[in-house]
Amino acid sequence: MDLNCKYEKKILVFFDVLGFKDMVQRKYKDKPEMIKEILSTMHVLSSPSYTSELIIFSDSVINILEIKPKYSEHGQTFADYLNVIFNDIATIQVNMFGLYGVLIRGSIVIGDIYYEVENNLLFGPALVDAYELESKYSIYPRFLIGKSIVDKISDVEWLDVTEDVDGHYYIDVCKWLVKLEPEKQHLVTLKSKIVEEINMLGDKPNLGVLSKYKWFLNKIKDREKQDLRKNRT
């Protein structure tokens, strides 16, 4: 019995590619080189700004980060620390979609975990929580924030986070991308890309895949309607 096997409390980031089955069976059925390129790019982009342990398997990636803010001795708060992590995640989502039309979803939680990166070994309550949050509740191309993290944030308004209609908080790519009214042009580019991907689904699209694109499209339209100047002091 290994008495040194003990859980550690960490931030766990879990994400994977939406529609991976469709990519393999239809979109890139005869182009395995494209699937390799997409996954390789995602793996490269997965390394966050802060030092982390990275575990990769197929179209899924897990990042394990310390809970304590990296630069707390210089005044960095936990919320500051989280927002950098949120920004990294939003960057991955935007880049993967811009480059390949690939949608990413996932979750971020705090909890107990045991891991040996060199042995690709990972287990613990945090992994169960992250997986269930992603697989059961994310549904759309959104990155859900676990209650274990939401409870530690006193004010989410300034963070790149939004509460969705079902009560779940998610990392809002549109909020991250657009800070000022002139920057809304970025949303036009994203919207055009989504419409392009929807058209590529054909006359009889996979309704599950289509619903993901439409969710993203509706979030962009909602953000376009907002007058960001009213929120500036």
Side-chain angles (χ1 to χ4, degrees):
M1 182 181 296
D2 184 1
L3 298 179
N4 293 319
C5 180
K6 296 179 181 179
Y7 286 136
E8 296 180 76
K9 196 168 291 293
K10 301 284 185 178
I11 294 174
L12 193 71
V13 180
F14 177 86
F15 60 92
D16 69 356
V17 173
L18 267 175
F20 187 66
K21 178 180 178 181
D22 184 70
M23 284 171 51
V24 173
Q25 296 183 339
R26 184 191 63 83
K27 190 173 184 179
Y28 298 120
K29 182 179 179 180
D30 299 316
K31 297 181 178 180
E33 70 278 6
M34 277 302 303
I35 297 175
K36 178 183 177 181
E37 180 180 333
I38 289 169
L39 292 181
S40 297
T41 301
M42 186 180 76
H43 297 164
V44 170
L45 293 174
S46 298
S47 297
S49 299
Y50 296 114
T51 301
S52 74
E53 299 290 355
L54 199 66
I55 294 180
I56 297 170
F57 48 101
S58 185
D59 63 319
S60 298
V61 176
I62 293 176
N63 269 324
I64 304 169
L65 297 106
E66 298 294 333
I67 293 177
K68 183 180 178 181
K70 180 72 174 179
Y71 302 110
S72 56
E73 65 274 18
H74 300 298
Q76 184 187 40
T77 66
F78 182 70
D80 294 327
Y81 177 54
L82 275 181
N83 211 42
V84 174
I85 297 171
F86 293 165
N87 288 346
D88 288 338
I89 292 168
T91 300
I92 294 171
Q93 290 181 294
V94 170
N95 285 338
M96 290 301 294
F97 185 70
L99 289 170
Y100 304 109
V102 168
L103 299 174
I104 303 291
R105 79 177 182 193
S107 60
I108 176 170
V109 303
I110 290 177
D112 291 330
I113 204 77
Y114 179 84
Y115 62 97
E116 295 178 5
V117 175
E118 64 278 7
N119 295 321
N120 210 36
L121 182 63
L122 173 69
F123 61 87
L127 179 59
V128 174
D129 291 344
Y131 177 75
E132 288 191 345
L133 189 60
E134 184 273 336
S135 61
K136 292 183 179 180
Y137 301 105
S138 286
I139 303 174
Y140 306 107
R142 57 181 184 171
F143 214 97
L144 295 187
I145 303 168
K147 190 175 184 300
S148 57
I149 288 182
V150 173
D151 288 346
K152 292 181 177 292
I153 306 172
S154 58
D155 179 15
V156 301
E157 288 302 316
W158 68 273
L159 298 172
D160 296 323
V161 170
T162 297
E163 184 179 8
D164 215 339
V165 293
D166 59 0
H168 286 290
Y169 285 90
Y170 70 100
I171 297 171
D172 191 341
V173 171
C174 297
K175 187 176 179 180
W176 167 80
L177 194 64
V178 178
K179 304 295 184 182
L180 302 171
E181 284 294 319
E183 295 176 342
K184 282 188 176 180
Q185 181 60 37
H186 295 310
L187 298 181
V188 175
T189 303
L190 270 181
K191 188 164 63 174
S192 176
K193 180 68 174 176
I194 293 174
V195 172
E196 177 186 328
E197 291 295 328
I198 289 176
N199 290 337
M200 288 176 62
L201 294 177
D203 297 330
K204 296 181 180 180
N206 179 306
L207 296 182
V209 174
L210 180 62
S211 69
K212 274 69 171 180
Y213 284 118
K214 286 190 172 181
W215 178 91
F216 196 9
L217 185 60
N218 288 334
K219 294 302 180 185
I220 291 176
K221 290 179 178 179
D222 289 343
R223 182 63 61 178
E224 283 182 320
K225 295 175 185 176
Q226 294 184 12
D227 186 351
L228 301 182
R229 291 168 295 188
K230 293 180 179 179
N231 299 324
R232 286 170 19 204
T233 56

